[in-house]
Amino acid sequence: MKNLLSEKVEQMMEWSSRRSVVRMNGDKFRRFVKAPPRNYSVIVMFTALQPQRQCSVCRQANEEYQVLANSWRYSSAFSNKLFFTVVDYDEGADVFQQLNMNSAPTFMHFPAKGKPKRADTFDLQRIGFASEQLAKWIADRTDVQIRVFRPPNYSGTIALALLVSLVGGLLYLRRNNLEFIYNKAGWAMAALCVVFAMTSGQMWNHIRGPPYAHKNPQNGQVSYIHGSSQAQFVAESHIILLLSILYVERKCFIMRFIQVDAAITMGMVLLNEAATSKGDVGKRRIICLVGLGLVVFFFSFLLSIFRSKYHGYPYR
């Protein structure tokens, strides 16, 4: 029994020396994680990383998991008391069936003694999958303290430096004529663009990383609008963007709105302009018709998308 245990520990240490996260199939999982004897704890991430699974959350969780495993592997406290492993659905579907698991990603702790308890399953939905949260959960379950070390990321600093350089360069080129800084219409358009960008779903795409579209493997049909109100495809934002680019020439000023909401807003602005301006009656009538057309067309388009995502609409 001791020889078997020492062989298992030695094998796990060898695998961990090559990779911080040990990949396991069904046979390895049953032998090194489930079967006794075992005097070490194992953290297992059950996931589905293959591209055909289209699990963007799995990829994001895997990145955080790798950061945590590397922090443990290269720390001075590293020992043979804790190992990080991963079971991919396409490599260990039998493990998923054995554990009655139907969702991914899922993090579980298999203690050195006894069976996993309810608290040994990480509450991903409530806490999230950040490395720091996983490390805190592991400390609660194993008493192993892991200090998370993240690799430096200079992309934000570089982007900010480029933006400051670009703005500074433009101001330097226009240093003799800075009247545009006091242009109220320009600042209003910039503020609207920021508001529309924040409410259009672009931020959700950045955080959740959804697929661009979905192709049905049975009939090959591609869906660009997600059928659920709880998710969306990247294509949805792009479709709205492409259908709602609006150029309005007025007083030699071109305004570009990049959201359907902006088109509706522009329609309301034109309606207000037609009602309050004191210009030519014919011109005001044209402005009124254009504004009314924008509101009716783009609001109807918004309702059609809303109906496709909220199947119970109109509610009764």
Side-chain angles (χ1 to χ4, degrees):
M1 187 71 71
K2 292 184 178 180
N3 291 335
L4 179 59
L5 177 60
S6 61
E7 289 178 3
K8 292 173 68 173
V9 173
E10 183 179 352
Q11 183 64 74
M12 291 293 289
M13 288 295 291
E14 180 183 349
W15 285 335
S16 297
S17 64
R18 299 176 186 174
R19 288 185 176 182
S20 300
V21 178
V22 180
R23 299 188 67 90
M24 289 195 166
N25 54 24
D27 294 335
K28 290 181 179 179
F29 176 81
R30 283 182 285 271
R31 180 183 177 189
F32 292 94
V33 179
K34 294 285 289 184
R38 183 162 49 84
N39 63 352
Y40 51 86
S41 296
V42 183
I43 306 297
V44 183
M45 180 178 72
F46 299 93
T47 186
L49 295 173
Q50 296 301 317
Q52 65 268 21
R53 301 299 175 188
Q54 295 186 347
C55 182
S56 58
V57 179
C58 294
R59 293 192 294 271
Q60 297 172 14
N62 182 62
E63 292 176 0
E64 292 293 314
Y65 192 58
Q66 293 287 344
V67 169
L68 178 62
N70 287 331
S71 299
W72 168 244
R73 172 65 184 83
Y74 297 106
S75 70
S76 58
F78 175 73
S79 68
N80 58 5
K81 298 301 181 182
L82 178 66
F83 297 100
F84 289 85
T85 65
V86 60
V87 176
D88 194 285
Y89 180 81
D90 292 280
E91 299 174 1
D94 53 335
V95 178
F96 279 74
Q97 296 175 0
Q98 179 183 351
L99 299 175
N100 294 322
M101 193 173 298
N102 54 16
S103 64
T106 299
F107 297 93
M108 287 189 65
H109 165 242
F110 291 84
K113 296 181 180 179
K115 296 182 179 180
K117 300 178 181 179
R118 183 175 182 180
D120 287 311
T121 299
F122 183 67
D123 193 350
L124 182 70
Q125 299 297 328
R126 185 176 64 89
I127 304 177
F129 47 75
S131 300
E132 291 77 8
Q133 297 297 334
L134 286 168
K136 183 178 179 180
W137 168 67
I138 292 173
D140 292 337
R141 304 311 303 165
T142 66
D143 292 330
V144 174
Q145 304 291 333
I146 303 177
R147 184 180 178 184
V148 177
F149 292 94
R150 292 184 177 274
N153 186 357
Y154 301 107
S155 58
T157 304
I158 294 175
L160 180 62
L162 290 175
L163 178 61
V164 171
S165 300
L166 178 62
V167 173
L170 291 176
L171 291 176
Y172 178 78
L173 293 176
R174 297 288 301 273
R175 61 186 182 278
N176 296 324
N177 184 12
L178 298 178
E179 294 181 0
F180 68 94
I181 296 180
Y182 304 99
N183 189 307
K184 295 182 179 180
W187 285 108
M189 292 305 103
L192 280 176
C193 288
V194 172
V195 171
F196 293 142
M198 293 297 104
T199 60
S200 66
Q202 295 290 346
M203 209 48 148
W204 193 93
N205 294 340
H206 178 73
I207 296 173
R208 300 298 296 272
Y212 186 81
H214 174 69
K215 184 175 182 181
N216 192 317
Q218 298 178 352
N219 54 25
Q221 183 179 359
V222 180
S223 300
Y224 297 100
I225 303 294
H226 199 287
S228 171
S229 61
Q230 303 297 320
Q232 72 175 26
F233 298 133
V234 176
E236 292 184 40
S237 299
H238 292 174
I239 289 173
I240 294 176
L241 184 144
L242 291 174
L243 291 179
S244 61
I245 293 179
L246 176 66
Y247 291 90
V248 178
E249 183 175 358
R250 187 172 185 272
K251 296 181 180 179
C252 298
F253 181 74
I254 297 178
M255 296 179 293
R256 187 183 184 204
F257 293 83
I258 61 173
Q259 299 294 332
V260 170
D261 293 340
I264 297 174
T265 303
M266 186 61 199
M268 298 301 296
V269 170
L270 291 177
L271 288 175
N272 180 73
E273 181 73 12
T276 58
S277 65
K278 300 180 181 181
D280 181 68
V281 176
K283 184 178 180 180
R284 292 169 58 189
R285 185 179 292 111
I286 294 175
I287 293 176
C288 180
L289 292 175
V290 171
L292 185 62
L294 287 173
V295 172
V296 172
F297 177 81
F298 285 101
F299 192 76
S300 299
F301 177 72
L302 279 178
L303 282 180
S304 67
I305 297 179
F306 188 82
R307 290 191 187 97
S308 67
K309 298 182 73 66
Y310 292 82
H311 302 288
Y313 183 85
Y315 308 117
R316 301 184 185 280

